[in-house]
Amino acid sequence: MDKKMHILTFHNAINYGAVLQCYALYKTINKNYECDVINYTSASVSDRYKIFGKNCLKKKELKDTLKKIIGYSNNKKKEKKFKLFREKYIKFSKNYSIEDIQKETWNENDYFIVGSDQVWNLSLIRNDYTYFLDFLDGKCNNRYSYAASFGTSVTDNDIKKSRKYLEKFKKISVREKSAKEILDKNNLECENNVDPVFLLSKDEWKNIAKKNEEENKYILIYLLQGSDVFLKKAIKYAEENNLKVVILSTGLKRKYNAEYIAACSPEEFLGYFINAETVFTNSFHGISFSILFNKKFYYELQKNGSKTNSRLMNIISLFNLESQNSELYDSITQLSNINYENVNHIIGVERDKSIKYLNNI
């Protein structure tokens, strides 16, 4: 272990996908190399999880602020469980502020990998170019990305803003096919790799999952954006198949006959997916874990002109699962079977390709 590798990503977000993709990338690299996660959090990212963050009292953000106040107790419990998970499973560097990380004297022989998650979403990070490794200027040239996501549909303007940083990367890997296409168009050579959660096998995830105490078969609903139409289809499906309803959410109104889980740990989150009979989700990582655990599932694209659907469509098209779009059906009475033999083959091919990319670094 003559090289030390540092990962920079969204590890502190109180978000299941963020912390689990961080764990997966760390665990995969740490199997063969000394590795840690740089303990840096962008002010713009942490602001999203504060009750009174920036612009919290503006009309557009006021509704979210009120939700955070109402769910304060559950959010604090959830935050504590996330902290325990990170401390148990991931090795971190010392804490860095944006000023500290710029002043640090980095070992020029060390390697730096940024990604995955929406680390290159310029509106999300509010142009914090730490996630483009700007703090390494003149200090280290071993710069890489792994499955970095721009989060939304990438524009030429996005590339123009970040080009001077991207040109300094020895290898660039992005998560979405659409991002690779526009980087190629702008003469920035890159690879397309799967989200880190696919780097670990189903059994590796099961090893850290916590079995839930549900005795009855259930459908699992995990939504990042509320949708009455989608919810009603899911509830009807549960009723017609005599299944209990479990909803993972702190934000949905509790107007359905269901068990609402508001503050589960990342290990419990995995357990709910593993033991679900069917999953209904509009989350990228909700879809990812449904696929990994070979679940029957339906997805819905996000509404309100959301630009984030490129992430969802990328993973759906990769595994040829467009038929699981709930909007194709007026009502869902019985879920069509998914050919997981083909899906698992694609997972294996993509995992091998991605691990080869990391090992080549």
Side-chain angles (χ1 to χ4, degrees):
M1 291 193 176
D2 54 339
K3 306 169 186 175
K4 187 166 187 180
M5 311 192 84
H6 305 282
I7 298 169
L8 181 63
T9 188
F10 294 160
H11 66 279
N12 265 331
I14 312 303
N15 174 285
Y16 295 107
V19 74
L20 291 172
Q21 66 81 23
C22 173
Y23 163 76
L25 185 56
Y26 168 77
K27 183 172 175 63
T28 301
I29 294 174
N30 198 48
K31 289 176 182 177
N32 298 305
Y33 303 100
E34 186 180 354
C35 175
D36 67 11
V37 174
I38 298 175
N39 205 353
Y40 170 77
T41 303
S42 172
S44 63
V45 175
S46 60
D47 193 60
R48 291 168 62 88
Y49 299 95
K50 294 176 182 176
I51 292 179
F52 296 106
K54 186 178 180 182
N55 302 324
C56 67
L57 297 180
K58 287 188 177 180
K59 186 176 180 181
K60 187 178 178 182
E61 284 80 16
L62 195 54
K63 187 175 179 181
D64 286 337
T65 302
L66 292 172
K67 284 181 181 179
K68 289 177 184 177
I69 293 171
I70 294 168
Y72 178 77
S73 177
N74 282 328
N75 285 330
K76 292 306 288 184
K77 290 177 186 175
K78 190 174 173 182
E79 187 177 337
K80 183 178 180 181
K81 289 179 178 180
F82 272 65
K83 183 174 183 289
L84 290 172
F85 176 88
R86 290 191 295 265
E87 289 174 349
K88 182 175 181 179
Y89 292 109
I90 303 171
K91 179 183 176 182
F92 289 98
S93 71
K94 66 182 183 181
N95 294 334
Y96 287 101
S97 66
I98 192 167
E99 294 80 16
D100 294 335
I101 204 167
Q102 293 285 346
K103 294 176 183 175
E104 179 67 84
T105 303
W106 299 97
N107 187 330
E108 63 180 17
N109 295 316
D110 284 355
Y111 283 61
F112 295 79
I113 300 177
V114 61
S116 176
D117 220 344
Q118 299 180 60
V119 287
W120 289 348
N121 183 334
L122 298 182
S123 61
L124 175 61
I125 61 176
R126 295 181 196 152
N127 299 320
D128 179 355
Y129 288 98
T130 303
Y131 292 101
F132 288 84
L133 304 179
D134 70 338
F135 59 90
L136 292 178
D137 278 356
K139 300 171 186 176
C140 178
N141 294 317
N142 297 321
R143 309 177 196 195
Y144 302 87
S145 71
Y146 177 79
S149 173
F150 286 87
T152 62
S153 299
V154 195
T155 66
D156 287 323
N157 192 46
D158 292 329
I159 304 304
K160 184 178 179 181
K161 287 180 180 179
S162 53
R163 185 180 190 97
K164 70 175 182 177
Y165 303 108
L166 292 170
E167 287 178 339
K168 295 179 180 178
F169 279 70
K170 282 191 174 178
K171 286 182 182 291
I172 298 174
S173 158
V174 291
R175 193 175 68 185
E176 278 75 49
K177 185 179 178 182
S178 56
K180 173 172 169 50
E181 288 170 352
I182 199 159
L183 285 168
D184 286 343
K185 175 186 166 187
N186 282 274
N187 298 313
L188 288 163
E189 187 177 340
C190 68
E191 293 193 27
N192 188 197
N193 294 104
V194 286
D195 189 270
V197 299
F198 288 98
L199 296 175
L200 301 184
S201 69
K202 187 192 308 183
D203 287 339
E204 286 178 295
W205 285 116
K206 285 184 176 181
N207 284 340
I208 67 165
K210 185 174 181 181
K211 184 174 172 56
N212 61 63
E213 297 178 358
E214 297 293 337
E215 294 181 358
N216 301 317
K217 288 188 176 182
Y218 61 90
I219 69 163
L220 179 67
I221 300 174
Y222 177 55
L223 305 182
L224 295 186
Q225 185 185 80
S227 171
D228 284 335
V229 173
F230 193 33
L231 276 165
K232 286 174 181 176
K233 286 180 182 179
I235 299 296
K236 184 178 180 183
Y237 172 88
E239 289 173 349
E240 295 191 356
N241 291 280
N242 195 29
L243 297 167
K244 182 177 176 178
V245 178
V246 174
I247 300 178
L248 292 182
S249 176
T250 54
L252 294 173
K253 294 179 181 178
R254 304 193 171 200
K255 58 183 179 181
Y256 296 100
N257 181 21
E259 180 179 353
Y260 286 80
I261 309 296
C264 65
S265 67
E267 298 97 324
E268 291 166 330
F269 173 87
L270 293 169
Y272 279 110
F273 272 84
I274 289 168
N275 295 307
E277 194 273 347
T278 306
V279 178
F280 292 81
T281 185
N282 58 19
S283 150
F284 174 88
H285 283 104
I287 293 171
S288 297
F289 282 110
S290 298
I291 293 170
L292 269 166
F293 297 136
N294 289 186
K295 292 286 133 181
K296 292 186 286 184
F297 78 96
Y298 265 119
Y299 70 92
E300 182 186 66
L301 295 177
Q302 296 185 15
K303 300 295 187 290
N304 302 324
S306 174
K307 295 181 180 179
T308 64
N309 285 327
S310 61
R311 290 182 287 145
L312 305 188
M313 290 311 302
N314 180 77
I315 189 171
I316 289 297
S317 62
L318 174 63
F319 295 105
N320 303 310
L321 292 171
E322 290 86 353
S323 62
Q324 305 313 118
N325 186 346
S326 68
E327 294 168 278
L328 296 175
Y329 312 96
D330 292 330
S331 102
I332 301 167
T333 54
Q334 190 166 5
L335 199 62
S336 57
N337 289 325
I338 296 171
N339 185 341
Y340 270 112
E341 184 176 347
N342 287 344
V343 170
N344 290 335
H345 173 73
I346 295 170
I347 291 174
V349 170
E350 292 296 327
R351 180 183 291 142
D352 289 346
K353 180 180 106 174
S354 296
I355 290 175
K356 182 179 179 181
Y357 168 84
L358 289 170
N359 285 337
N360 282 341
I361 291 174

